[in-house]
Amino acid sequence: MILKLFLIFLLSIGAHAQGFNFPSRCKVRRTFEAANGILKYPEGDGNYANHDHACFFFSCPAGKRSTLTWRAFDIAGSETIISVSPVKGDDNARYSEILRTGDDSDSLPPDSSFYEGGTLLSFISRDHETAKGFEVEWGCQEPPSCPFEFNFPTSCLTTSTLNIPIGRVTHPERGFYSNSESACFFFCCPGKRLTLEWLYTRIETGWDFITVFPVKGNTALPNHVLRHTGFSRPANTVVDMDGVLLHFTSDDKVTNQGFRLDWTCEEIEGQPLEGQPLDESGVPVDEVPAGAPIPAPPDVTDQPTVHFNFPSRCKVRRTFEAANGILKYPEGDGNYASYDHACFFFSCPAGKRSTLTWRA
């Protein structure tokens, strides 16, 4: 009997280990799998404790809408923090968004809505004063459906349909994208305004491309609204139609980290657009006007004249042949990534002086 109970105990541990992968710092760990419910923390009428770290995972299958709606909120101290994270299918939280600290607890936090596989709610208190805590209602809802089946171009080697009103795409999810990719993403947004907010693009300049086409009905129109290559971050892409087709292509040589974007599909306010991209202020961008022909792939004469043999460990590989210039790494306002290994070759003919002058 004792051996039987011990085996049951081991099996229960194993079953628990196969569940959500909570961060190691979580002292309280609770998983909720019901379609909806209400969480009050702490339970009862007392205050939460100092040095508390409670984590709550609200399970919701990928593609369904995981929601948190706040009902009561009372925390104290600038180092007391409430944060939420969307959870991917690998049972790991992807990124964290701080909702409130104890300094601004006079109002309810914003409601949360994720479509990626659930939500992780994290509560941290320090050694300051305590308070009543919080009460939140969670839900897991069916997503809206796309009213038509999109007709992907035959050039697409991989396809994805995204028919939810808000979300994030990271391609690839980990590591570097592959050589000779032709990946297509259809964002279904019938009769509404679709906005793509680019968080980063890290693709080989002049050889790998992101091209975005407006979609009418179940077909992509031939005139693109964005054609992008390189490491700079494009302005927001905004289209009022039935969605967009994002086509990512890579050549058979250098790869990199790809791209990440957030998208929203919402009701149109004011006059509909004609598919042109807008900047962050809502002003049309004229760099790539709607109706412009799609640029042809680089001609062989555009290839670098110097083919430097980079070390195999280099993840980012860039060659500069101009007589002078400025390199900023990474481009944009963000920080460099963990485990980055970037290599830059500044070509200079033998007998000339190759110089680097540091600016920041």
Side-chain angles (χ1 to χ4, degrees):
M1 174 62 71
I2 295 176
L3 178 60
K4 183 178 180 181
L5 291 174
F6 180 68
L7 289 174
I8 293 174
F9 171 72
L10 290 180
L11 289 173
S12 67
I13 293 177
H16 178 75
Q18 296 301 314
F20 179 69
N21 185 24
F22 283 96
S24 60
R25 61 185 178 274
C26 298
K27 295 180 180 179
V28 177
R29 308 178 183 190
R30 295 181 62 186
T31 296
F32 299 90
E33 298 185 11
N36 54 72
I38 296 173
L39 165 67
K40 182 180 183 300
Y41 188 80
E43 297 180 351
D45 298 327
N47 291 2
Y48 57 81
N50 289 323
H51 299 288
D52 197 359
H53 194 150
C55 299
F56 308 95
F57 170 53
F58 304 93
S59 177
C60 193
K64 289 191 176 184
R65 184 185 183 197
S66 175
T67 62
L68 294 182
T69 305
W70 295 90
R71 298 160 58 100
F73 189 77
D74 180 22
I75 65 175
S78 61
E79 296 184 357
T80 302
I81 298 173
I82 288 273
S83 63
V84 294
S85 307
V87 173
K88 195 64 176 174
D90 56 4
D91 293 334
N92 283 282
R94 300 184 64 193
Y95 60 88
S96 182
E97 176 186 352
I98 295 177
L99 294 183
R100 284 287 189 273
T101 67
D103 283 346
D104 56 4
S105 64
D106 55 342
S107 61
L108 294 177
D111 295 338
S112 303
S113 179
F114 298 122
Y115 289 84
E116 300 175 272
T119 303
L120 175 66
L121 172 64
S122 177
F123 170 74
I124 303 174
S125 68
R126 304 299 186 187
D127 57 354
H128 302 290
E129 59 182 311
T130 65
K132 293 294 185 180
F134 60 88
E135 185 174 317
V136 65
E137 181 178 357
W138 84 85
C140 181
Q141 306 166 357
E142 291 291 338
S145 59
C146 192
F148 52 83
E149 183 176 352
F150 181 66
N151 184 25
F152 283 97
T154 57
S155 58
C156 300
L157 298 181
T158 61
T159 61
S160 299
T161 296
L162 306 159
N163 63 345
I164 54 181
I166 185 172
R168 170 170 291 189
V169 169
T170 302
H171 181 77
E173 288 286 349
R174 294 184 179 86
F176 283 26
Y177 55 82
S178 303
N179 291 323
S180 305
E181 280 202 23
S182 180
C184 293
F185 303 84
F186 166 54
F187 298 83
C188 182
C189 186
K192 296 182 179 181
R193 172 165 295 174
L194 181 71
T195 302
L196 304 183
E197 179 185 357
W198 300 91
L199 303 181
Y200 67 73
T201 59
R202 298 166 187 163
I203 60 178
E204 185 190 9
T205 303
W207 297 99
D208 302 341
F209 292 90
I210 295 169
T211 310
V212 178
F213 302 89
V215 168
K216 190 171 182 63
N218 66 345
T219 305
L221 300 182
N223 299 326
H224 66 274
V225 295
L226 177 70
R227 173 81 166 175
H228 182 76
T229 185
F231 288 70
S232 62
R233 188 176 67 174
N236 290 356
T237 306
V238 183
V239 173
D240 290 356
M241 207 167 286
D242 293 325
V244 300
L245 170 67
L246 187 157
H247 191 188
F248 172 71
T249 56
S250 63
D251 68 357
D252 59 354
K253 296 181 176 63
V254 179
T255 67
N256 212 290
Q257 292 172 307
F259 63 89
R260 174 177 291 173
L261 64 87
D262 285 342
W263 84 86
T264 57
C265 175
E266 53 195 355
E267 296 293 338
I268 300 172
E269 296 181 3
Q271 286 294 108
L273 308 171
E274 293 299 328
Q276 74 269 33
L278 304 181
D279 63 18
E280 295 179 357
S281 303
V283 178
V285 177
D286 296 327
E287 294 178 352
V288 187
I294 300 175
D299 187 75
V300 68
T301 57
D302 296 329
Q303 296 184 16
T305 58
V306 176
H307 296 278
F308 180 69
N309 186 25
F310 285 94
S312 59
R313 60 184 179 273
C314 297
K315 295 181 179 179
V316 177
R317 308 177 185 188
R318 295 180 63 185
T319 297
F320 299 89
E321 299 184 61
N324 55 70
I326 296 174
L327 165 66
K328 181 180 183 297
Y329 187 80
E331 296 180 354
D333 298 327
N335 292 357
Y336 56 81
S338 298
Y339 302 102
D340 200 358
H341 194 147
C343 299
F344 308 95
F345 171 53
F346 303 91
S347 176
C348 194
K352 289 192 175 182
R353 183 185 182 195
S354 177
T355 61
L356 295 180
T357 304
W358 296 91
R359 296 161 55 101

